[in-house]
Amino acid sequence: PSSLNPLKTINEDIFSFAELKQKEIDELKKIEAFRREFIADVSHELKTPIFAAQGFVHTLLDGAVNDKTVRTKFLKKAAKSLDGLDVLVQDLLTLSHIETGQIKMHFESIDMYKLTEEVFEQFEEKGEKRSIRLRLEGAENKAIVYADWQRISQVMTNLISNAIKHSHDDSDVVVSFDVSKKNVVTHVRDFGEGIPTEHQTRIFERFYRVDKSRSREKGGTGLGLAIVKHILDGHNTRAEVVSVPAKGSTFSFKLPRIKPEPADSGDKNDHH
Ligand code: ADP
């Protein structure tokens, strides 16, 4: 047996050490490539609104400022681009805070029904729901989960905002819950444009949009679902999407009803 041959075990040790080092190097290379790609993506995304605002301001300076209607129109357009830039930077900061673990999750028992009511109110107050009817199915005190209220509010805000954005006028956005013994599955459903199958696996990637120019037009940053993914990762769960083009989409995610036992984390769907 090899253990009787000291030279052989040393050789094997050196070999496995080298193998380990190579794995570390590969991992670092991957992180570095990811970082580069991220910076390239971010720069590109920042350039779009800056370039637009710059164009309007320079045109104004070149003389358009003297025409009152053109002036107002261009200033409004420049303001819209700068507002978009502001949202983008906010989303980037949120994403980076979650990724670097600067946001500590604060787990407690939370009522998904109450949380959703609060999120709905925010959309109503800001007048952001167009002619969409926001509907909540279920009752208070039924869908209680163990999660971070603030972060899950962000998840619901992003999912509902998307549902509204991609709905047709005068249609419903429905939030409902499936309560089982151990878990609560929350569904956010719309009856809008849907997502073609080939895009469904990619929409959680940062800056991925089915239609880039339309997403920007609607004030999207392409980061909403990346933020959702990261927050749900922090809850050891993830969002699933079922969507049929021209019929609508349902985004769902599962959360535990009680604090999960560390030893009870053997569920194959959980990724720790
Ligand atoms: P965005 O800021 O563009 O909304 P997201 O990360 O929130 O970025 O979403 C990524 C893309 O996924 C969107 O650009 C859109 O194409 C698609 N998408 C997300 N939610 C829906 C939905 N409810 N209906 C149709 N398409 C959606």
Side-chain angles (χ1 to χ4, degrees):
S2 63
S3 59
L4 294 179
N5 180 346
L7 211 57
K8 193 162 182 228
T9 42
I10 289 171
N11 271 340
E12 273 171 5
D13 281 352
I14 291 172
F15 182 72
S16 62
F17 179 71
E19 205 176 28
L20 198 73
K21 272 282 159 229
Q22 190 55 48
K23 263 194 193 148
E24 264 175 41
I25 294 167
D26 288 348
E27 190 58 32
L28 284 175
K29 275 188 182 161
K30 240 167 63 187
I31 294 171
E32 179 58 16
F34 179 86
R35 204 182 59 88
R36 271 175 213 232
E37 205 184 302
F38 184 68
I39 290 173
D41 282 353
V42 170
S43 314
H44 180 80
E45 294 295 330
L46 290 173
K47 258 166 84 179
T48 309
I50 292 174
F51 190 68
Q54 222 174 14
F56 294 123
V57 172
H58 282 293
T59 313
L60 285 167
L61 287 175
D62 287 347
V65 74
N66 298 319
D67 181 323
K68 190 167 178 291
T69 29
V70 175
R71 184 167 67 213
T72 311
K73 193 172 137 195
F74 278 27
L75 281 173
K76 275 188 182 155
K77 285 186 186 247
K80 194 179 166 197
S81 294
L82 293 174
D83 289 346
L85 193 61
D86 188 40
V87 176
L88 176 58
V89 172
Q90 297 237 7
D91 277 1
L92 278 169
L93 284 174
T94 306
L95 200 58
S96 117
H97 284 159
I98 301 168
E99 273 181 344
T100 54
Q102 281 178 48
I103 291 179
K104 283 273 161 285
M105 297 277 182
H106 182 74
F107 289 89
E108 58 185 338
S109 281
I110 63 172
D111 186 336
M112 286 302 293
Y113 186 91
K114 264 203 203 143
L115 182 147
T116 308
E117 266 187 335
E118 221 183 85
V119 174
F120 276 2
E121 274 165 25
Q122 284 167 19
F123 280 99
E124 265 145 28
E125 277 163 18
K126 286 196 227 146
E128 279 175 11
K129 67 181 191 70
R130 300 184 9 235
S131 57
I132 312 297
R133 289 174 297 274
L134 300 178
R135 277 180 34 213
L136 182 49
E137 285 176 1
E140 223 172 285
N141 301 322
K142 292 266 195 299
I144 311 288
V145 295
Y146 190 73
D148 181 317
W149 174 284
Q150 213 193 330
R151 298 296 132 211
I152 297 298
S153 284
Q154 172 94 62
V155 166
M156 291 301 279
T157 302
N158 293 7
L159 294 179
I160 294 164
S161 158
N162 279 347
I164 295 171
K165 265 196 270 183
H166 300 282
S167 282
H168 308 299
D169 286 345
D170 296 314
S171 65
D172 292 4
V173 165
V174 186
V175 173
S176 62
F177 311 103
D178 281 334
V179 182
S180 64
K181 207 169 137 223
K182 283 193 171 173
N183 302 295
V184 174
V185 180
T186 302
H187 305 282
V188 178
R189 179 167 190 204
D190 69 66
F191 301 85
E193 67 202 37
I195 306 159
T197 323
E198 66 271 27
H199 296 287
Q200 286 174 17
T201 52
R202 302 206 53 196
I203 50 173
F204 291 92
E205 294 170 19
R206 60 179 191 298
F207 301 128
Y208 190 86
R209 293 111 153 182
V210 175
D211 183 336
K212 260 198 198 304
S213 55
R214 274 191 58 211
S215 157
R216 283 211 190 90
E217 187 54 39
K218 291 180 180 183
T221 61
L223 292 175
L225 289 180
I227 291 172
V228 165
K229 181 178 182 300
H230 273 87
I231 293 174
L232 293 180
D233 269 354
H235 286 76
N236 291 318
T237 188
R238 59 189 174 143
E240 311 274 348
V241 57
V242 176
S243 182
V244 181
K247 292 252 188 276
S249 313
T250 304
F251 285 80
S252 313
F253 61 91
K254 181 164 85 180
L255 287 169
R257 291 183 64 188
I258 51 159
K259 181 177 181 171
E261 296 280 333
D264 191 32
S265 53
D267 187 341
K268 282 198 188 87
N269 293 323
D270 284 356
H271 32 123
H272 286 268

